[in-house]
Every structure is written in structure tokens, then in C-alpha cells.
Amino acid sequence: MKIINARLRHKDQLYTIICENGYFTEVRIQTDVISDECDIDAQQQLLCAPFIEPHIHLDAVLTAGEPRWNKSGTLFEGIECWAERKQMLSESDVQSRVLKAAELLISNGVQHIRTHIDVTDPNLTALKAIAPLKEKLLPYLDLQIVAFPQEGIFSFPKGKQLMEQALEIGADVVGGIPHFEFTREYGVDSMRWVVELAQKHNKLVDVHCDEIDDGNSRFLEVLATAALESGMTSKVTASHTVAMHSYNNAYCSKLFRLLKMSGINFVSCPTENTHLQGRFDNFPKSRGITRVKELRNAGINVALAQDSIQDPWYSLGNGKLLRQVDFALHACHMMGYDDFKVALDFITDNGAKVMNISDSYGIEVGKPANFIVLNGKDDVEVIREQSDVIWSVRKGEVLIERKPSVITQCPKLCL
Ligand code: FE2
């Protein structure tokens, strides 16, 4: 495959790119715009590595309103609705919804997904339905599965056994939910247990950590310490961490030293948490997003994710990660030009670090020929225009091709 007239992120020149046998074999600078024979003429638009969705709950997608709507809008009513919907799961129900959501994500340039799957189900129905899809979806995307204990590990009957069983069935990542455990002690113990389990089975860790508007929810320090002392460091991710929004600055200052030392990653889900958090506030209402800008400025890896597509926690969602970036830039006060220039990091390179796939991710000779072409010249234009993905290519094969929308009528206004 030959691609011409491509712009790469943070480069001034245009590039010709050659892919052979599914890998990049040449990335060379052009001196000018060319009109050679090719498979893709990028027409001076941005070519970058595929988008990454590092935190979504595919088992729950497309279930909003089933069997009832979450009327309070709280995280906890969402968990109650889901506990009812969970009784209705079957293999075909789960697989058909997951495949529909996967199509939506693929059509928006996503090729790498980390999904949390609820394993607080004695039958593990969703996990058993989704695990075989990893292989089926491989031509289109890489799927990492997190064993996610939605109703707790120490607080759910046979919670530990279900987690271990989930790893045997095919989960790649060990999850946790310390703020939802019955007691603080259970929460602390669960964090140490999660890291030990991951080490024992050579798995990654991704914890729903402190997803609550309680400034006293401080399991992040326990997780980061376990990551540091076990040596798991960047194999550990803390998702959500919205309580950090409510921590006082003196505590945060001390905490950030540990976070930097630990090397752990963060995932923030800005639309989801702005919707779910602040529900117990009068005014002012907290935004409920972790300190994305401050973490990034401290050199800590932060990726952005959607969390939900039309489920009991969030009834919108459309598979478009650029929407998350746009939202986070506004809500986290990252509206400076320097913020815009690197904004795509949040849904590309930073997500790759979360998923521990950086070695095989990016536009470099020798790496798999996975890329997208966007309808914009750089991060700034793509974010501003919320650009469409025009091409998505995986292992040198075209997954999607889209024609940019064309206006057929518009008034001409001039002085
Ligand atoms: Fe989540």
C-alpha cells in the first residue's frame, strides 16, 4: 500500500508512506505535493495512529432504559438499574450489542479497546459471551478485557473466586472498585489483593478508583503505593479518580509525589463523570472530573475515554472520542494553544501507554501498518472542526473510507 501527501503530527513536511505485509516499511519526506499513483492520497490531511478507547463497558452498551431509566442520574442508581438488567443477559443479547458498538467505534477510527466487564455475576454470562469475540474482532481491533467487580470483591458473594475464574476465561486485566466495598478496610485490602492477583497471573491492573464525590475516598494512595512497592508501576491504571476533584490542595500536593514515583496511568471519562457527579451538591456543583491538566502537567500519563454508550449510567454516547477531548479541554481549563497542539495525545499515545501497547503503536517503520486519516491538518484543526475519520487502515487493509460531508447550498456573504 502506498499513501502520499500525508501530514504527520508535529511535522511540517508532507510524507509518503509505504506498507508491506501489514507493516510500515517506509516513511519518507516529500519535497512538495505530488500526484503519483497511490492507494491513498491523503490530500495534505493528518495521518495518525488509530484512536484508542481505553475504558468502556461493552457488556452494558445499548441498554439505556432497560428495564427502567436511571431517573436520579446518580452512579448508584445506575448500578441498581444494571443489577436488574444483568438478570436478563444472554449470550446472543450481549454479543449482538457488543458487535453493534464495535461497528460504531470502528467507524470512528478506533482500533484498540479496553473494556471492563462486570464479573459480579455467578454465571459470568457477559464475560463468557465477550471473551470469544476477541479473536473474531482481531482483524478490526484489539480488545483487552478487564475483570471488573461492579458490586465489589470483598463485599460480593464469592467475589474473589469470580475474579480468579474471570482470568481463567480470558480477562487480561484485573479490576477493582474500592470505594464501593462495604468498608474502608475492605477497600484497602481489595487494592492489595488486586495487585497481588495481577502479579501472580502476569496481568495488568485497571481499577475504578474513588469514583465518588467524597473527598475522604483515598484509595488512590493505596493503589499507587501497591503499584510502586510491587514494581508493577506503569502496568497499573487508576480510572475515574473523581474524588481527587474534592481533595484539598495540600493533600493533593503530597499525593502527586507518590503518583509520580509510582508511574501509574490515569483514565478520565469527562462526559460520563460530569453527568454522574455533583448529584449530591446544591450550588456550587462540582464538575466531577479528576485533575487532568494538573496530572498531565506533572508528567503523569492521562488518557480520555467514553466509559459508556447508551447504558444505565449514560444514555447518550456515539463512539466519537473527539467529543471527549473537546469536552475535557473545556471542563479542565485546557484551552490554551499549547493544549490544543497536543490534544490528540489523550486519545492516541496516552491510551497506548494505558493499554501497554506502545511498542507496536505509532507511525514508524517496523510497526503494524495501523493508521487513520482525519479531515484536518493538525490537532488544532481536527479538534476545532470535530473532524470525521476519512480512512481507517489496519495491517495495511482498508477498514473504512468516508467521503467528507459536502454542503450543496449555502448563502454567500461578503462585504
Ligand atoms: Fe467505568
Side-chain angles (χ1 to χ4, degrees):
M1 173 180 272
K2 181 178 181 183
I3 305 105
I4 61 169
N5 300 322
R7 282 186 198 280
L8 300 182
R9 294 185 68 209
H10 314 307
K11 308 276 189 199
D12 295 329
Q13 308 93 336
L14 294 174
Y15 285 81
T16 291
I17 296 170
I18 310 291
C19 315
E20 288 168 323
N21 301 318
Y23 290 84
F24 293 117
T25 52
E26 215 177 319
V27 180
R28 69 166 182 265
I29 296 172
Q30 296 173 200
T31 49
D32 209 345
V33 179
I34 57 175
S35 53
D36 292 2
E37 228 175 75
C38 65
D39 299 287
I40 294 178
D41 182 347
Q43 298 184 356
Q44 306 178 59
Q45 304 299 293
L46 184 66
L47 181 151
C48 72
F51 290 152
I52 293 185
E53 171 49 87
H55 186 120
I56 195 161
H57 295 255
L58 286 180
D59 52 346
V61 289
L62 310 176
T63 62
E66 301 173 3
R68 63 186 173 90
W69 291 94
N70 176 349
K71 289 188 178 156
S72 67
T74 61
L75 174 75
F76 301 115
E77 189 178 343
I79 294 174
E80 285 167 19
C81 293
W82 174 241
E84 291 171 36
R85 180 59 174 80
K86 211 157 47 171
Q87 315 288 330
M88 300 152 61
L89 294 179
S90 68
E91 183 181 86
S92 62
D93 161 51
V94 173
Q95 290 189 340
S96 65
R97 288 186 291 101
V98 168
L99 294 176
K100 272 185 207 161
E103 271 180 31
L104 194 58
L105 290 156
I106 292 164
S107 72
N108 285 294
V110 175
Q111 290 188 28
H112 306 275
I113 298 175
R114 174 179 282 183
T115 179
H116 295 252
I117 299 177
D118 184 2
V119 297
T120 49
D121 163 12
N123 302 315
L124 296 173
T125 305
L127 179 65
K128 286 175 186 167
I130 295 174
L133 295 182
K134 267 201 277 190
E135 195 72 24
K136 183 182 168 89
L137 288 170
L138 200 54
Y140 315 105
L141 55 87
D142 300 303
L143 187 63
Q144 268 183 9
I145 293 176
V146 186
F148 170 51
Q150 176 72 77
E151 295 181 57
I153 300 172
F154 287 51
S155 314
F156 191 79
K158 299 190 176 166
K160 287 185 190 172
Q161 289 98 312
L162 287 166
M163 290 290 286
E164 290 185 348
Q165 215 180 319
L167 299 186
E168 283 165 26
I169 292 171
D172 311 284
V173 187
V174 181
I177 188 163
H179 56 278
F180 196 73
E181 299 283 359
F182 289 153
T183 66
R184 172 167 172 80
E185 286 70 25
Y186 279 11
V188 169
D189 291 347
S190 74
M191 288 299 84
R192 297 188 184 123
W193 186 83
V194 158
V195 171
E196 277 170 24
L197 182 68
Q199 276 202 299
K200 186 171 139 195
H201 294 278
N202 195 26
K203 303 285 184 183
L204 304 170
V205 171
D206 192 335
V207 171
H208 279 61
C209 197
D210 301 315
E211 191 182 8
I212 185 169
D213 292 329
D214 173 8
N216 292 315
S217 186
R218 294 181 174 184
F219 297 104
L220 177 57
E221 63 183 21
V222 183
L223 178 65
T225 301
L228 175 67
E229 292 181 350
S230 65
M232 283 203 71
T233 63
S234 63
K235 290 183 174 173
V236 174
T237 295
S239 286
H240 296 293
T241 62
V242 301
M244 193 194 290
H245 186 102
S246 305
Y247 293 161
N248 65 67
N249 289 341
Y251 172 67
C252 253
S253 174
K254 174 230 168 197
L255 177 66
F256 268 47
R257 175 176 175 266
L258 166 64
L259 299 180
K260 278 193 270 187
M261 288 167 70
S262 73
I264 66 170
N265 305 290
F266 284 78
V267 173
S268 174
C269 306
T271 53
E272 176 103 4
N273 283 124
T274 303
H275 158 60
L276 291 174
Q277 312 311 136
R279 294 285 174 166
F280 299 96
D281 295 353
N282 291 313
F283 287 95
K285 288 184 188 293
S286 60
R287 295 185 184 190
I289 305 179
T290 197
R291 301 190 187 202
V292 175
K293 180 181 183 178
E294 292 72 18
L295 288 165
R296 183 204 63 184
N297 290 353
I300 295 166
N301 185 48
V302 190
L304 298 176
Q306 296 174 89
D307 208 12
S308 295
I309 296 178
Q310 302 161 43
D311 70 15
W313 294 273
Y314 187 83
S315 52
L316 300 178
N318 56 14
K320 295 185 178 180
L321 279 162
L322 285 173
R323 181 168 167 261
Q324 302 303 320
V325 180
D326 183 74
F327 195 92
L329 293 176
H330 287 82
C332 301
H333 288 167
M334 298 188 293
M335 295 292 283
Y337 190 73
D338 288 344
D339 294 312
F340 295 156
K341 281 194 294 188
V342 294
L344 290 181
D345 286 351
F346 285 123
I347 53 171
T348 56
D349 296 342
N350 297 6
K353 286 179 193 159
V354 167
M355 291 185 67
N356 267 248
I357 57 169
S358 299
D359 289 349
S360 58
Y361 180 83
I363 313 301
E364 284 176 39
V365 170
K367 291 191 173 180
N370 303 333
F371 63 87
I372 56 177
V373 179
L374 289 145
N375 193 25
K377 289 184 170 48
D378 55 18
D379 287 31
V380 185
E381 196 171 302
V382 165
I383 296 295
R384 188 182 65 225
E385 302 298 330
Q386 291 285 291
S387 300
D388 278 335
V389 175
I390 305 301
W391 299 86
S392 181
V393 173
R394 184 166 169 87
K395 284 290 192 98
E397 302 285 334
V398 174
L399 291 184
I400 69 152
E401 180 183 352
R402 177 183 275 118
K403 289 199 185 344
S405 63
V406 177
I407 297 171
T408 52
Q409 187 177 333
C410 182
K412 286 259 182 283
L413 304 178
C414 53
L415 288 173

